[in-house]
Amino acid sequence: MRIVFMGTPEFAVGSLQRLVEDGYNVVGVVTQPDRPVGRHQNTLQPSEVKQYALAQAIPVLQPEKMKDDAFLSALRQWKADLQVVVAFRMLPEVVWAMPRFGTFNVHAALLPQYRGAAPINWAVINGETETGVTTFFLDKNIDTGRIIAQKRFPIPDDANVEYVYDGLMRLGADICVETVDKLLASDGHVESIGQDEIVDQMSQGLKPAPKIFKETCQINWDQPAKKVYDFVRGLSPYPCAWTKLSDGKTLKIIAAHKTQLPTGGAAPGSIESGKSELLVACADEWLQIGQLQLSGKKRMDARSFLNGNKEIADLKALSGQSDL
């Protein structure tokens, strides 16, 4: 079977590496164009997938537009029987319908829940105790195709996005090769289930996973401590939840801990601090800050932060963040 792999970030490298190391015939890789990085944006940085592909002497295509005639011609020349997509971009039908076995995607969630660009973040932000990976055939809409297989992954209460990301990257590689094997064994006629059938039997609504922006990461302290805690770990270690001190300085909250201590009526966003302990009031309880980063400074624990900031301005109590 001639396989073309499509992906961009480190998460996708896990599946590509497994395919290569297990001896599958990956004849080409499609990834995003090199992106400018650095202070002056004058250095081009290849994607993690491109770096791995070149190290394995696998041909690479980097189209700006997926319907570009030159790209489509080059893609056809690879004569793929199957295309595998992991953490890439939406494909037009002319691309995903090209191979005789079609195109399947490895998605980092248990579809149909958490369709979208940031499923790992939103699963943690929403306090889920379980997530997983799904393989499904691509169709005309985003993350709606027929499901081939799923694997589940527990989310510990103290886990952040990095922990879940690493676990799902390994699990995604497993389900990727298992799905390829199913397609090989069935000559492309693998069993699958439509997502509408699953949705019709669900007792709860669908939870989306839209792209994360800087504005999305702003903390609303006027929420229960559990929701703020999940929000912080759902954005840690990157891109990080943030708030503002009353003096206007931006403060990233990288790690926090639940206390189960009632605030006693303290206003959300207000601070209690000692020699080594920094507490912030939420709507119901105090939240202990474990690691943080003041704008222009390095990341540090609460003790180091307090040693260098004897007088702490209260955090602004923010509102209007109904998506938390």
Side-chain angles (χ1 to χ4, degrees):
M1 179 185 287
R2 296 175 61 83
I3 298 173
V4 167
F5 186 90
M6 301 184 181
T8 294
E10 178 192 23
F11 188 88
V13 175
S15 294
L16 175 58
Q17 182 175 358
R18 181 70 63 81
L19 289 168
V20 171
E21 292 182 353
D22 286 5
Y24 294 88
N25 186 26
V26 180
V27 298
V29 162
V30 181
T31 189
Q32 73 174 16
D34 297 355
R35 297 302 184 193
V37 295
R39 184 175 180 180
H40 302 290
Q41 298 286 288
N42 55 3
T43 301
L44 291 178
Q45 176 71 39
S47 72
E48 288 89 343
V49 163
K50 178 182 178 180
Q51 293 177 52
Y52 179 81
L54 294 181
Q56 303 298 317
I58 302 173
V60 175
L61 292 175
Q62 298 177 270
E64 286 284 356
K65 298 180 179 179
M66 300 301 291
K67 292 184 179 180
D68 178 77
D69 289 339
F71 163 67
L72 293 174
S73 176
L75 186 61
R76 290 190 185 97
Q77 290 178 22
W78 282 343
K79 298 178 181 179
D81 298 301
L82 173 69
Q83 289 174 161
V84 177
V85 179
V86 185
F88 194 43
R89 56 195 286 191
M90 188 172 181
L91 303 181
E93 184 173 0
V94 67
V95 173
W96 57 256
M98 192 178 293
R100 65 188 182 100
F101 285 175
T103 302
F104 78 79
N105 183 282
V106 178
H107 187 73
L110 297 173
L111 291 174
Q113 294 290 14
Y114 296 107
R115 295 167 175 165
I120 304 176
N121 296 94
W122 286 106
V124 180
I125 288 171
N126 289 337
E128 302 287 0
T129 58
E130 183 182 61
T131 184
V133 288
T134 302
T135 52
F136 67 97
F137 287 114
L138 292 192
D139 62 13
K140 294 180 180 180
N141 298 310
I142 297 176
D143 300 334
T144 60
R146 295 184 65 84
I147 291 174
I148 306 167
Q150 291 186 324
K151 285 182 175 291
R152 297 180 178 273
F153 183 83
I155 304 177
D157 184 62
D158 60 349
N160 64 7
V161 160
E162 184 175 43
Y163 173 89
V164 182
Y165 181 100
D166 290 344
L168 293 186
M169 182 167 62
R170 293 189 296 269
L171 201 62
D174 291 342
I175 201 171
C176 176
V177 296
E178 290 175 13
T179 300
V180 172
D181 288 343
K182 286 183 178 181
L183 286 160
L184 278 168
S186 64
D187 196 31
H189 302 292
V190 67
E191 291 185 10
S192 60
I193 182 171
Q195 292 192 40
D196 288 344
E197 301 175 41
I198 300 173
V199 172
D200 290 342
Q201 299 175 16
M202 289 171 53
S203 58
Q204 59 178 333
L206 292 178
K207 300 175 183 178
K211 187 176 180 179
I212 300 289
F213 297 95
K214 181 181 178 180
E215 295 76 15
T216 315
C217 302
Q218 188 173 10
I219 298 172
N220 175 10
W221 297 103
D222 195 16
Q223 295 276 330
K226 175 64 164 64
K227 290 186 74 69
V228 179
Y229 168 75
D230 291 337
F231 188 71
V232 169
R233 66 193 183 98
L235 295 168
S236 178
Y238 181 84
C240 284
W242 62 272
T243 187
K244 282 186 177 294
L245 296 172
S246 295
D247 59 11
K249 292 181 180 179
T250 299
L251 188 68
K252 291 182 178 180
I253 308 298
I254 301 159
H257 310 285
K258 293 178 291 182
T259 67
Q260 298 183 333
L261 297 174
T263 61
S270 58
I271 287 177
E272 289 283 348
S273 62
K275 291 184 178 180
S276 62
E277 189 175 66
L278 178 61
L279 302 176
V280 182
C282 299
D284 56 351
E285 297 172 352
W286 294 96
L287 192 69
Q288 182 177 354
I289 306 304
Q291 190 179 23
L292 65 169
Q293 182 177 14
L294 194 61
S295 56
K297 305 292 183 180
K298 295 180 179 180
R299 294 186 177 189
M300 61 187 74
D301 59 26
R303 179 190 291 271
S304 300
F305 176 79
L306 291 168
N307 286 340
N309 297 271
K310 300 301 183 182
E311 295 183 4
I312 308 299
D314 280 352
L315 304 181
K316 289 184 177 180
L318 306 173
S319 60
Q321 301 274 326
S322 59
D323 57 341
L324 290 181

